[in-house]
Amino acid sequence: MIAVTGIGWLTRKGYGCLISKVNETHEGFETLYSYFKHKSYFSCPVKNFSRFDTISKMTCFSAALALKDASISYSVKHKQDIGIFGANEAGCLESNMNYFQDYIESGRILARGNLFIYTLPSIPMAEASIHFGLSGPLLHLFFNEKRIPSLLSFAGKSITEGEIPSILAVSAEENNALCFVLQTEDAVSAGKSLSLESVIVAADKSNFSEIITALTGLA
């Protein structure tokens, strides 16, 4: 059996941990980053966070919330056998457009290297993996339909097939993000958890607010 032990969500105005019933507002990424460090959602500074593109920030914030919800701590010196799988609608299109616009504005001669870094869709997961010390597999996935349920099903199958005991499954967009901690029964510590099957059903909704409402009903 696969259990969902943590769910973190984030929008441009709010964030929360669904199982532990945290629901807060925020005034922007800069103040939220400082707050997360102060409250130990980030146990150490996120290297180069200020240069992250939006989806990388969304990914790291939501992953921190999900790990906190699952009562999983981390440190820079300790690697964990946890994978991270991500999926979103447009990949890194916005970051590619920003990079190309910068190239145009620079006379088609050069563009900023810090913008170029985020022109691969796997980079947000890589940044999260580095910060949280995740040593498991890292994948960016595209699904034609039912993106979040499909992502959860794929991650659950990977655990069932013995690839990894725990996975962070992240759906991060420019305006919102959801991160789920999936674990085998053996890896689950004391605390409340949800069945993967029930979470998949709840996540099969047409928009983000409906998904959060349905998941809140489970928790």
Side-chain angles (χ1 to χ4, degrees), residues 129-204:
S129 182
I130 291 168
H131 177 72
F132 296 109
L134 311 180
S135 62
L138 182 157
L139 291 173
H140 182 268
L141 303 157
F142 284 100
F143 299 101
N144 290 328
E145 57 183 5
K146 297 186 176 183
R147 184 176 63 259
I148 296 177
S150 296
L151 172 63
L152 291 168
S153 296
F154 187 93
K157 183 179 179 182
S158 297
I159 293 176
T160 301
E161 293 178 349
E163 293 184 24
I164 192 78
S166 303
I167 291 175
L168 297 185
V170 188
S171 173
E173 306 289 353
E174 293 285 329
N175 293 312
N176 55 60
L178 260 173
C179 182
F180 305 82
V181 179
L182 279 63
Q183 296 182 280
T184 63
E185 279 191 313
D186 293 338
V188 175
S189 59
K192 185 175 180 180
S193 63
L194 306 172
S195 72
L196 177 58
E197 292 77 11
S198 66
V199 171
I200 289 173
V201 171
D204 189 11

Side-chain angles (χ1 to χ4, degrees), residues 23-191:
N23 190 333
E24 303 285 349
T25 60
H26 69 88
E27 297 179 355
F29 289 159
E30 184 176 344
T31 57
L32 186 60
Y33 175 68
S34 298
Y35 183 80
F36 269 39
K37 287 196 300 179
H38 177 68
K39 291 294 185 179
S40 297
Y41 285 100
F42 291 140
S43 63
C44 57
V46 182
K47 187 176 180 180
N48 299 318
F49 185 83
S50 62
R51 79 177 186 192
F52 281 14
D53 70 342
T54 301
I55 290 181
S56 295
K57 290 178 180 179
M58 285 284 191
T59 298
C60 282
F61 278 132
S62 63
L65 291 164
L67 289 170
K68 190 77 168 182
D69 205 30
S71 299
I72 297 175
S73 60
Y74 74 94
S75 73
V76 293
K77 297 181 179 180
H78 177 60
K79 299 296 183 182
Q80 303 193 68
D81 194 16
I82 301 174
I84 180 166
F85 295 177
N88 59 9
E89 185 173 353
C92 56
L93 178 61
E94 188 69 26
S95 292
N96 274 275
M97 291 173 64
N98 291 338
Y99 175 74
F100 187 70
Q101 183 62 38
D102 194 58
Y103 172 67
I104 296 296
E105 292 174 355
S106 299
R108 295 179 180 265
I109 297 173
L110 50 82
R112 283 172 287 178
N114 62 306
L115 295 179
F116 175 74
I117 292 170
Y118 301 98
T119 55
L120 289 174
S122 58
I123 291 298
M125 279 73 70
E127 295 284 15
S129 182
I130 291 168
H131 177 72
F132 296 109
L134 311 180
S135 62
L138 182 157
L139 291 173
H140 182 268
L141 303 157
F142 284 100
F143 299 101
N144 290 328
E145 57 183 5
K146 297 186 176 183
R147 184 176 63 259
I148 296 177
S150 296
L151 172 63
L152 291 168
S153 296
F154 187 93
K157 183 179 179 182
S158 297
I159 293 176
T160 301
E161 293 178 349
E163 293 184 24
I164 192 78
S166 303
I167 291 175
L168 297 185
V170 188
S171 173
E173 306 289 353
E174 293 285 329
N175 293 312
N176 55 60
L178 260 173
C179 182
F180 305 82
V181 179
L182 279 63
Q183 296 182 280
T184 63
E185 279 191 313
D186 293 338
V188 175
S189 59

